[in-house]
Amino acid sequence: MGKLHHGTIIEINRNYGIIKSNYQDREVSFFFYLFPSMLNKKEQFIFSKQVRFEVRTVEIRSSKVMLAYNLKQVEGSEIKKYKIPKHKRSEDILTNYHHYIFSNFLKITDEKKLKDLIKIDTEFKEFCLNRVLFLEQSVKQVIIEFCLELNISDTEVYNLIEQEQETLKIKTKCFKKLKSKFEFREEFKLFSIRQSIKDVNTCEVVEAPLGIFLDNITIDELSKVLNCLYIIFDKKSKKTNNKIKFLKYIRQLLPDLSIIRNASAHGNPLIPLILDTYYSPNFSVDLKDVFPSFNSGNNVEDIEIFGFIRWTTRQLVKRGIVGQYAGGLQYTALYYTKYVFSNAARRSFFSLFHITFCYFEFIEDNNYKEFIDEANDFIGMLDKDLEYPYTLLEESTHQEISITKHFFNILYPIVYTFSDGCYGMFLDVAVEVSKS
């Protein structure tokens, strides 16, 4: 048996509950599963209010989360009968999922506002999806251009990919897909094949043009391939150029785009996803202290641009552009990085803009104004008339703010920095500072 912690049950919902406890001298909250076997025949959870429990770390939606389990009653503590809230599968949930999510999550009851917001959400998803697809294609194009410039053949690329178990699996999976997808079609003429070991009457793809390979892997797989190739790109490049900087500053956040991409492509509500505190339940522990070392398993200092975001935020606070978090300049910068990077959905939204701005900074900025105008149009639509009461995660303020303000809280360091023309310079400076 592991270490037993002491706490108080503060909330019971269907399928889970929350325990308030003291952990490393901070008051935090732990989620725990509430299984049907823990209820009586009347579907009540009868348990002492004070509890002892163990803690384990699990991964939920790409975030490490500390969960309570193996709950034990505390002798002498008040015994309570917790009624489990009932959620009927109403016609609204079955026939209009978006209406249900927006009305319940965002607490909007005005039907006209609901209809308007759902329409904006649909259009916003199209905007985000188009941007993600553009960035995905741009990264692939930069990889291909680098290979051509550095005289790296497709064979060399695949040899590098095969050296890592993770990327070898990606290549093997993709080559099977290419065989199935293009067998006897025009593209099939471009492949190198051999007789299959398992069935000599069929073939295996052993090499394919790099462009076709890259077009048939996911964003997450693309990021792993990029990390593998970046090392040789950086080594063979005679001097640091804008393309290598672009890949350097986006490669770690590239896989985060998959959350925005999937929600947008599959028609799921996007605005509630970005704003959902519970998307990463680690907030109940991680955001109780600003310092990165206090975490459930994911240290935001491991993110390569952590220094850039922390340094940028400090500059904006110094200039009075944004307010200070309780504790001063350093605390504000540290809290912001944890607020954004500890939540995978927020981080995905942040990454969409960060990678876009890196593209404008290091590749080309021809459609910068168009992007900004479109982004302002969508985010501007969410302001004023569509405000809704929603408590921000920062427990120091508990302020009710609009959707636009929430988005601003996620994006302000990169938006202000890029608009000042300092994005690339600040990225470079932050890297040098972190080395010293």
Side-chain angles (χ1 to χ4, degrees), residues 5 50 58 60 74 130-131 145 153 162 173 182 190 232 235-236 259 280 290 320 372-373 383 394 407:
H5 300 263
Q50 301 293 316
V58 300
I60 299 176
V74 173
N130 288 337
R131 176 50 47 178
E145 289 175 4
S153 67
E162 288 170 359
K173 173 187 167 186
F182 295 116
L190 304 173
I232 194 68
K235 185 178 180 180
K236 283 198 170 189
I259 295 175
S280 295
V290 300
I372 292 299
D373 287 345
D383 207 359
E394 285 101 336
F407 282 178

Side-chain angles (χ1 to χ4, degrees), residues 4-231:
L4 283 177
H5 300 263
H6 182 274
T8 305
I9 295 176
I10 59 171
E11 187 176 324
I12 291 294
N13 297 285
R14 179 165 293 278
N15 300 327
Y16 74 93
I18 300 176
I19 297 170
K20 182 169 68 176
S21 180
N22 187 281
Y23 177 74
Q24 294 186 12
D25 298 325
R26 282 88 166 175
E27 188 178 88
V28 303
S29 297
F30 296 104
F31 290 81
F32 67 91
Y33 291 115
L34 192 59
F35 299 112
S37 59
M38 298 166 70
L39 310 179
N40 64 13
K41 292 182 179 180
K42 296 181 179 180
E43 289 201 344
Q44 296 173 320
F45 178 56
I46 302 176
F47 218 79
S48 62
K49 189 174 181 180
Q50 301 293 316
V51 294
R52 290 192 178 279
F53 58 93
E54 293 180 70
V55 171
R56 67 192 184 103
T57 300
V58 300
E59 187 161 305
I60 299 176
R61 293 182 290 276
S62 303
S63 294
K64 298 285 181 63
V65 181
M66 297 175 70
L67 295 184
Y69 75 105
N70 193 19
L71 273 62
K72 298 184 181 298
Q73 301 192 72
V74 173
E75 187 176 347
S77 175
E78 175 188 358
I79 302 296
K80 290 197 67 175
K81 289 183 179 179
Y82 297 93
K83 292 183 179 179
I84 309 301
K86 292 186 177 180
H87 292 275
K88 294 181 179 178
R89 293 191 176 182
S90 66
E91 185 178 336
D92 190 31
I93 302 175
L94 296 173
T95 61
N96 198 339
Y97 171 58
H98 286 68
H99 185 280
Y100 171 81
I101 290 297
F102 277 97
S103 60
N104 283 269
F105 177 74
L106 301 180
K107 311 301 180 188
I108 299 175
T109 56
D110 185 293
E111 287 297 323
K112 184 180 183 306
K113 287 185 178 181
L114 272 174
K115 186 177 179 181
D116 289 344
L117 191 52
I118 291 170
K119 181 176 182 294
I120 292 171
D121 186 69
T122 301
E123 294 172 352
F124 192 50
K125 282 183 290 194
E126 293 176 10
F127 166 75
C128 290
L129 180 60
N130 288 337
R131 176 50 47 178
V132 171
L133 294 175
F134 172 79
L135 293 173
E136 190 177 359
Q137 197 58 42
S138 298
V139 171
K140 295 172 184 177
Q141 187 59 39
V142 171
I143 290 174
I144 292 171
E145 289 175 4
F146 247 127
C147 288
L148 292 173
E149 290 173 12
L150 300 174
N151 293 316
I152 302 173
S153 67
D154 289 353
T155 301
E156 288 180 273
V157 168
Y158 293 126
N159 286 339
L160 285 168
I161 288 173
E162 288 170 359
Q163 290 177 17
E164 298 290 336
Q165 191 63 33
E166 198 171 35
T167 47
L168 173 60
K169 288 180 181 178
I170 293 170
K171 178 203 162 215
T172 303
K173 173 187 167 186
C174 182
F175 277 14
K176 287 180 180 178
K177 179 181 178 181
L178 294 181
K179 175 184 179 295
S180 174
K181 187 175 181 180
F182 295 116
E183 207 165 17
F184 303 119
R185 295 174 63 191
E186 188 64 30
E187 293 86 348
F188 193 55
K189 301 173 186 176
L190 304 173
F191 299 166
S192 296
I193 66 169
R194 69 183 177 198
Q195 276 186 310
S196 172
I197 298 173
K198 295 180 180 178
D199 181 356
V200 294
N201 294 311
T202 188
C203 74
E204 295 175 350
V205 175
V206 293
E207 193 169 299
L210 181 59
I212 297 178
F213 169 74
L214 295 176
D215 278 343
N216 285 275
I217 57 178
T218 65
I219 288 183
D220 185 57
E221 291 169 339
L222 177 63
S223 70
K224 291 180 173 67
V225 170
L226 171 57
N227 282 326
C228 177
L229 298 180
Y230 174 80
I231 298 171

Side-chain angles (χ1 to χ4, degrees), residues 238-254:
K238 293 181 179 179
K239 61 179 181 179
T240 302
N241 57 40
N242 281 346
K243 285 181 183 176
I244 202 72
K245 283 185 178 182
F246 172 68
L247 296 180
K248 176 181 181 178
Y249 293 133
I250 65 100
R251 63 196 181 105
Q252 198 174 25
L253 296 183
L254 185 63

